[in-house]
Amino acid sequence: RVRDNAAVEGGLPSRAERPPCMGAQGSKMPCPTLNYFSICGRGELARLICALGEVEFEDKTWAPAFDESGGWRQGYQAIGNAFGFPGTMPVLEHGDLKLFQTAAIESYLASIAPKVFPGLTPAQKGKDMMFAQIKADINASTESLLFKKIDGPALTEILEKWYPILEGLLPESGFVNGLATPTMADLAVLVIAKGCMPFQAAPKLASFDTVSKYPKIKRVADETAAFPAIAKFLAASEHKTLTADPFGIMGS
């Protein structure tokens, strides 16, 4: 379950103002709070891990994510700065534990999940993290185009490396780890294939076709999105963060 509460101008409500919720695995610890922008980006895989693993969490979205200039709406830096972190997101709060760095947050949330993730073997967990890091690499390059650090041809060259690798790693049928349920690897593919900002928005601007030549990527993403726990989460998402398109790029 998810508590989806948009952060308002001026920062987060105090801890005393936050609604109570049950912690992971039925503990009395407050549920995790994920602070991230109201887009896909570096936060969506963490959200999907919670949905699949049945971690009740508070989705503290920074909404709107962007200001009128097209840059990040300012003020979010104070969230991480309060814990001695750089002014970046995502930031996870879970009782006395505070984390930044995307991979650390994703790994931690999977480790406390009461469903799916506890039964994975070390090999399956390793494969999950490999796919999560492929997602992170693609995130960095697509984000760079949106922030005009690289141009379309440069992004195309990068994606022409990663998409065939990802396609080649996927099975002809079923989920990545051969189970009846998706795991983090499949969730990462879903984020890459269907996440708008920046995963699909940047290729659209670069005129890079992410669909027709990569049928296994599309299949895994579609089947993962249709898995009941994920479909329920996506339907209930207040800001539709996976597909949020604040600049209308996908419709252009």
Side-chain angles (χ1 to χ4, degrees):
R1 291 177 294 173
V2 57
R3 295 175 180 268
D4 198 339
N5 299 296
V8 297
E9 187 70 52
L12 298 173
S14 69
R15 185 174 302 279
E17 294 172 320
R18 298 182 193 176
C21 60
M22 183 67 72
Q25 302 184 30
S27 73
K28 295 181 180 180
M29 179 184 288
C31 69
T33 295
L34 180 69
N35 299 284
Y36 193 64
F37 304 105
S38 54
I39 59 169
C40 178
R42 300 174 188 273
E44 194 69 11
L45 180 54
R47 295 174 177 127
L48 294 172
I49 288 167
C50 289
L52 180 64
E54 297 188 13
V55 176
E56 185 177 359
F57 76 110
E58 186 175 359
D59 192 5
K60 188 65 67 172
T61 47
W62 186 255
F66 301 96
D67 61 24
E68 294 179 356
S69 74
W72 296 119
R73 183 170 65 85
Q74 294 302 293
Y76 69 89
Q77 298 93 336
I79 299 170
N81 289 164
F83 307 125
F85 299 156
T88 60
M89 292 206 287
V91 171
L92 184 76
E93 304 172 62
H94 193 198
D96 292 334
L97 178 67
K98 315 293 189 264
L99 292 174
F100 79 108
Q101 297 288 22
T102 306
I105 291 170
E106 293 163 353
S107 176
Y108 175 73
L109 290 171
S111 76
I112 64 170
K115 296 294 178 65
V116 179
F117 299 102
L120 298 181
T121 66
Q124 290 168 332
K125 292 177 182 179
K127 186 174 287 189
D128 272 357
M129 290 307 300
M130 178 178 72
F131 276 81
Q133 292 309 110
I134 292 172
K135 179 270 302 178
D137 286 338
I138 293 175
N139 191 147
S141 58
T142 50
E143 181 182 84
S144 291
L145 181 128
L146 294 183
F147 285 107
K148 300 181 180 179
K149 296 178 181 178
I150 62 174
D151 60 13
L155 178 62
T156 295
E157 183 178 352
I158 294 168
L159 296 182
E160 284 179 343
K161 177 188 80 170
W162 278 119
Y163 267 76
I165 289 173
L166 184 60
E167 179 79 1
L169 291 170
L170 295 176
E172 293 295 334
S173 62
F175 296 118
V176 171
N177 273 312
L179 303 176
T181 177
T183 62
M184 192 190 305
D186 308 282
L187 300 178
V189 174
L190 171 58
V191 168
I192 292 166
K194 294 185 181 292
C196 176
M197 294 291 287
F199 296 95
Q200 290 300 304
K204 177 72 179 292
L205 292 174
S207 299
F208 179 81
D209 181 2
T210 63
V211 178
S212 63
K213 293 193 296 183
Y214 307 105
K216 289 193 289 185
I217 293 176
K218 182 180 185 303
R219 180 193 63 76
V220 171
D222 287 345
E223 292 181 11
T224 302
F227 191 78
I230 300 304
K232 180 180 178 181
F233 170 79
L234 294 176
S237 173
E238 179 182 356
H239 296 283
K240 305 301 180 189
T241 48
L242 179 70
T243 56
D245 186 10
F247 302 115
I249 293 170
M250 300 309 294
S252 61

